[in-house]
Amino acid sequence: MSINALKGASMKRRLIAAALILAFPFGTAACGAQSKEAACKHIQKAAVSANKSVKIKGTSPDDIRDSLDQIIKTYKKANKKITNKKVKAAFTPLIEDLEKLRDATKSPGASTGGPDLMTDMSNHGKALNDLCGFDWGTGQ
């Protein structure tokens, strides 16, 4: 192989390397960034699924806890699919509120967490509604 051929091959490698380096940020941005709409769609699907699948058998603490467990499980599964930081930051506290509500039903005669928990749930639901544009209770 001649010196000129080696120089040409070396130049081609450098150009390919430069092209890969320049293209890398675009590829990672496209793969890593989840749109707000895509993230909210995961929540919407989870809410619709939970509304269809959860059957409240009665009003006992065990029945309520079982229903909340199903809803929480569905929402947590959706939350794992969410990578959008703003949407995740709005949705995660609502799931935590539901867990607190479920946990409050574990003791006989326990309250449902009092006005603070209900206020928190309302505020977190409103934040999610404002971000995603749907009613957090129904996912629509």
Side-chain angles (χ1 to χ4, degrees), residues 1-14:
M1 196 177 250
S2 73
I3 301 253
N4 286 337
L6 288 174
K7 285 182 182 177
S10 178
M11 181 60 91
K12 286 179 187 176
R13 282 191 209 120
R14 284 189 209 145

Side-chain angles (χ1 to χ4, degrees), residues 90-121:
F91 190 42
T92 301
L94 184 60
I95 295 170
E96 292 167 353
D97 292 341
L98 290 170
E99 289 174 322
K100 289 175 189 172
L101 182 61
R102 178 206 52 209
D103 294 345
T105 65
K106 288 183 179 177
S107 311
S111 74
T112 56
D116 291 340
L117 178 56
M118 295 300 129
T119 300
D120 288 347
M121 280 184 77

